[in-house]
Amino acid sequence: MTNIKSMMQSSNHRLRDMEQHHPLLSSGTDVESGSLAAGVIVGPHHGGHGAGNRPMWFIQDSCGMVCATMTWFLVLYAEFVVNFVMLLPAKNFWYTLLNGAFFNSLAVLALASHLRTMLTDPGAVPKGNATKEYMESLQLKPGEVIYKCPKCCSIKPERAHHCSICKRCIKKMDHHCPWVNNCVGEKNQRFFVLFTMYIALISAHALGLSGIHFFSCIKVQWNECSEFSPGVSVLLLIFLCLEAILFLTFTAVMFGTQIHSICNDETEIERLKNEKPTWERHVRWDGMKAVFGGPPSLLWCNPFTGLRLRRVLLLTQGRRGGSEFSV
């Protein structure tokens, strides 16, 4: 058997437990059947949820799935009230067409951004990669310290933190959001920013349309303003306004904090822990370019950018999916 301690001492590398901050492996610790003597299982290098034969990333958390379903329900409810209570009964064709096209387009972009945030791997570190082969592939400098997460048995990259809900270490983890049923990290932060932006826009638009509809109906009979009874219309509008105010406040604040974090190259966890930056910081426009990719353009606002769609016509055992398309 190969003794890990002697291998690491010869390379002058130190492996440390991220939580306890002391050498994880003591002398005489051997690798045996893929596990450490301390009882921590170390499996082969793999990508967990986001690799292999799993087509997409999805967190099976009951609270997160309920919150994500509620998000879709509330957005679809807003679309119902805006379209069927306010816009379609309106007598002005261009008012209905322009506002309907604008609101529904933003709603589609918001839901698409929500899906991309929820189903995109946020930057999960492969489980159980604390193996001799992987440590040798890192090509560490003499005396360099590497850290191991004791919860998911992974070598922790810089700025990675463990999420107890995802049960993985996430690169540049900002926070875990139950409304998107996922962590916000290195690979899906741009979609979360777009989601908060589009929700804030449709909330503000819905509030404006509600105000216009309410005051226009005061001047005439309520029966002429909507196909619903006056009492039902008022209840639908009141609930929509309350929903829009709450969503606008929450998403506008989240959008502002995310932009601030990106421009300062500092995640929310790093800010709360007051961690001093040991990495090369990309501030302001450099930070925005690093998250959204490339120079400023309309593609920054497109949640479909980089999307890969897999069409599966026939699924047979041992056969992979159909063609893969990039947008």
Side-chain angles (χ1 to χ4, degrees):
M1 295 184 185
T2 304
N3 187 291
I4 293 184
K5 182 65 179 180
S6 59
M7 180 272 295
M8 296 180 64
Q9 284 179 342
S10 61
S11 303
N12 292 323
H13 297 155
R14 291 173 290 166
L15 178 64
R16 292 190 174 183
D17 190 305
M18 195 61 184
E19 292 187 346
Q20 299 176 357
H21 293 284
H22 59 74
L24 182 66
L25 305 179
S26 59
S27 59
T29 303
D30 296 330
V31 175
E32 194 168 317
S33 301
S35 63
L36 296 179
V40 184
I41 302 299
V42 180
H45 178 84
H46 61 86
H49 292 283
N53 57 355
R54 296 187 65 89
M56 66 180 181
W57 171 277
F58 183 74
I59 301 300
Q60 296 181 359
D61 174 60
S62 57
C63 177
M65 289 187 287
V66 170
C67 290
T69 303
M70 286 180 57
T71 302
W72 273 70
F73 171 78
L74 292 173
V75 173
L76 294 177
Y77 169 81
E79 283 208 88
F80 170 78
V81 176
V82 168
N83 289 318
F84 293 98
V85 178
M86 292 187 283
L87 294 182
L88 290 179
K91 298 179 180 179
N92 190 322
F93 172 77
W94 291 108
Y95 174 83
T96 299
L97 179 64
L98 294 177
N99 281 286
F102 183 72
F103 183 87
N104 288 289
S105 297
L106 291 179
V108 170
L109 291 171
L111 293 178
S113 301
H114 183 272
L115 278 179
R116 293 302 303 276
T117 308
M118 181 171 60
L119 302 180
T120 299
D121 181 352
V125 179
K127 279 186 177 181
N129 64 355
T131 61
K132 180 182 69 173
E133 293 78 10
Y134 180 73
M135 286 186 283
E136 289 176 346
S137 67
L138 294 178
Q139 298 180 350
L140 302 172
K141 299 177 181 179
E144 187 174 351
V145 178
I146 56 177
Y147 295 98
K148 175 182 178 294
C149 176
K151 298 177 181 179
C152 59
C153 299
S154 302
I155 299 298
K156 244 180 180 177
E158 189 177 36
R159 307 186 69 182
H161 294 86
H162 185 86
C163 175
S164 59
I165 299 176
C166 296
K167 296 180 175 59
R168 301 287 288 275
C169 286
I170 307 296
K171 298 176 183 177
K172 288 185 65 177
M173 176 181 169
D174 188 84
H175 67 286
H176 184 95
C177 179
W179 297 104
V180 297
N181 190 32
N182 201 2
C183 277
V184 178
E186 183 178 63
K187 295 182 180 179
N188 68 345
Q189 187 176 24
R190 61 170 297 184
F191 302 122
F192 182 75
V193 173
L194 293 180
F195 169 67
T196 57
M197 180 183 73
Y198 287 128
I199 290 294
L201 289 176
I202 64 173
S203 299
H205 192 202
L207 279 176
L209 291 176
S210 299
I212 294 173
H213 184 78
F214 181 79
F215 286 109
S216 63
C217 288
I218 292 179
K219 299 178 182 179
V220 297
Q221 295 294 328
W222 275 93
N223 293 330
E224 300 178 7
C225 288
S226 174
E227 297 179 357
F228 297 90
S229 64
V232 173
S233 298
V234 171
L235 287 177
L236 291 174
L237 288 173
I238 290 175
F239 188 79
L240 176 65
C241 289
L242 292 176
E243 173 193 344
I245 291 173
L246 291 175
F247 268 49
L248 176 60
T249 303
F250 174 74
T251 55
V253 171
M254 286 301 301
F255 176 79
T257 56
Q258 287 295 301
I259 295 297
H260 180 268
S261 296
I262 293 172
C263 290
N264 288 278
D265 196 11
E266 182 182 46
T267 66
E268 187 66 18
I269 292 179
E270 292 165 351
R271 186 186 68 82
L272 292 175
K273 290 185 175 182
N274 198 24
E275 296 181 1
K276 296 182 179 180
T278 58
W279 57 89
E280 182 181 356
R281 303 183 72 173
H282 301 279
V283 296
R284 298 182 177 85
W285 280 112
D286 290 336
M288 295 290 289
K289 293 176 183 178
V291 171
F292 287 91
S297 69
L298 291 177
L299 292 177
W300 282 16
C301 302
N302 181 12
F304 302 101
T305 302
L307 181 64
R308 296 180 181 274
L309 300 176
R310 204 174 277 274
R311 293 191 313 176
V312 181
L313 300 177
L314 293 174
L315 291 177
T316 57
Q317 186 176 3
R319 179 178 176 180
R320 294 184 178 179
S323 302
E324 186 175 273
F325 298 91
S326 296
V327 177

